[in-house]
Amino acid sequence: MAGSLIEKIQELKKERRAVILAHNYQRPEVQDIADYVGDSLGLSVAAAQMKAKVIVFCGVHFMAETAAVISPDKTVIMPDVNAGCPMADMINVEKLKKIKSEHPGAPVVCYVNTTAEIKAESDICCTSANAVAVVRSLPDKEVIFIPDKFLGLYTQSQLPDKKLILHEGYCPTHAFIFPEHIKQARQAHPDALVLVHPECRPEVTALADAVLSTGGMLKFVKRSEAAEFIIGTEAGIIYSLQKQNPEKSFYPVSEKAVCPNMKITTPEKILWSLEDMKTKVEVPAEIAGKARRAIERMLAIGRQD
Ligand code: 13P
Ligand code: SF4
């Protein structure tokens, strides 16, 4: 990457008192210029705790929105605001209200992959790093869990005493991973451990050695004595895994497990966003206030993996 591009970003970052946050699925060249790279939960904590006036959020829209909700004193900008999440778009307030009316009294757990409006209508938020711990923390047996049916099914499998009411949402990138991919990868790398994300299908999570968030995978690999790993999630995480563990080997379970939305942010767009302070991600105060409650309740629980 051109040195001058990085230098310009660094100069502007200082001038604007900005930090760059990036998700583990971002392009390598974006991860390399970020001040913090992590999973959805880590990014929420970083957004709240990092001392800065501006957050340049390199991820997808719901993540930047979550940062804006929990850091109302900071300006959050996205280098490309078109980075959405199809799963987050699979539920809206009208659908959620219908589910609530069909299960009166059941608390709502919303995956962080939702809009601020949905968070505002929920009791507590969760990420893949704490979905089981969040549902377990509720006294109720019946719990509405939205929008990811696969994360919901995985959470249900870990909590047989609960009854989760699920919605038909899913991640198109993770839904593309099938049991055949795991079987083929195991044949090719018989000594490797298989790590998969809980957004994967139940037939896939059933074949894994561990089911973890992206942050959980990074922790697991660092502590593990194994030398080889088959990775069942978006391929971008292989870069962080390899960078942090140069002596170990990583094999993506499918080359097709790529989230197009996570790839549209580039260093050039980061520079332009800092130059023009665009695009600001703002949430109306009334919605932000209610959504903040659901996110803060989750942050108090922390991680399970
Ligand atoms: P985590 O990084 O929180 O595991 O989430 C994965 C994901 O798909 C985010 O959109
Ligand atoms: Fe959404 Fe899936 Fe992309 Fe994550 S990987 S941002 S859940 S589409």
Side-chain angles (χ1 to χ4, degrees):
M1 202 191 314
S4 62
L5 176 62
I6 300 173
E7 277 161 28
K8 278 187 200 158
I9 292 173
Q10 299 299 357
E11 262 168 46
L12 264 178
K13 248 178 62 183
K14 238 189 242 165
E15 204 175 294
R16 306 266 192 231
R17 294 188 42 217
V19 287
I20 300 176
L21 305 188
H23 187 265
N24 289 319
Y25 296 160
Q26 290 288 295
R27 293 167 178 274
E29 59 274 27
V30 171
Q31 294 193 27
D32 281 345
I33 51 175
D35 297 284
Y36 177 86
V37 182
D39 67 2
S40 312
L41 184 61
L43 288 163
S44 306
V45 175
Q49 292 180 349
M50 284 179 97
K51 290 208 178 347
K53 269 181 88 166
V54 176
I55 293 174
V56 183
F57 208 106
C58 306
V60 291
H61 194 267
F62 74 79
M63 296 179 176
E65 211 182 41
T66 303
V69 165
I70 51 175
S71 311
D73 52 327
K74 296 176 186 134
T75 302
V76 178
I77 53 175
M78 278 185 85
D80 191 331
V81 79
N82 297 310
C85 169
M87 184 206 287
D89 296 336
M90 289 178 190
I91 186 139
N92 57 34
V93 171
E94 202 186 329
K95 285 184 193 168
L96 176 55
K97 284 192 170 159
K98 185 168 179 287
I99 302 173
K100 279 167 121 176
S101 73
E102 287 162 358
H103 302 276
V108 178
V109 176
C110 71
Y111 192 23
V112 70
N113 299 36
T114 46
T115 60
E117 283 89 347
I118 291 290
K119 291 185 178 80
E121 286 289 329
S122 301
D123 295 279
I124 184 164
C125 187
C126 76
T127 76
S128 54
N130 60 17
V132 174
V134 165
V135 174
R136 190 189 283 126
S137 76
L138 301 169
D140 317 71
K141 181 176 167 65
E142 196 178 68
V143 175
I144 298 168
F145 188 98
I146 52 158
D148 186 359
K149 65 176 172 185
F150 293 145
L151 178 63
L153 284 170
Y154 173 70
T155 306
Q156 177 71 82
S157 75
Q158 302 302 299
L159 300 169
D161 292 343
K162 298 281 186 187
K163 184 178 184 311
L164 266 59
I165 314 300
L166 303 179
H167 178 68
E168 276 299 309
Y170 65 93
C171 163
T173 301
H174 286 87
F176 221 70
I177 300 173
F178 288 97
E180 291 64 38
H181 293 119
I182 309 279
K183 288 177 194 158
Q184 281 160 13
R186 274 210 197 269
Q187 256 174 10
H189 309 286
D191 296 329
L193 288 182
V194 174
L195 312 184
V196 309
H197 197 276
E199 285 179 17
C200 290
R201 299 167 178 277
E203 312 88 273
V204 169
T205 53
L207 297 177
D209 294 302
V211 180
L212 298 160
S213 66
T214 60
M217 287 184 190
L218 284 154
K219 261 180 139 173
F220 183 98
V221 165
K222 209 168 250 176
R223 289 183 190 155
S224 170
E225 283 176 9
E228 295 178 273
F229 300 87
I230 293 161
I231 303 298
T233 190
E234 210 275 350
I237 192 164
I238 304 270
Y239 180 70
S240 328
L241 285 165
Q242 197 68 75
K243 197 171 163 183
Q244 293 181 24
N245 306 276
E247 73 293 358
K248 300 187 177 182
S249 302
F250 303 95
Y251 315 108
V253 83
S254 163
E255 299 286 349
K256 288 188 185 156
V258 174
C259 172
N261 289 285
M262 284 284 184
K263 305 301 182 203
I264 65 176
T265 301
T266 60
E268 288 78 6
K269 291 180 188 173
I270 293 174
L271 176 63
W272 300 331
S273 71
L274 274 165
E275 279 174 347
D276 301 338
M277 285 297 289
K278 274 185 181 164
T279 299
K280 289 194 177 105
V281 177
E282 288 165 320
V283 181
E286 198 193 327
I287 290 171
K290 290 189 197 160
R292 194 174 305 125
R293 228 180 26 209
I295 299 166
E296 282 174 351
R297 271 188 82 185
M298 166 188 80
L299 292 177
I301 290 175
R303 345 181 37 103
Q304 77 201 17
D305 68 5

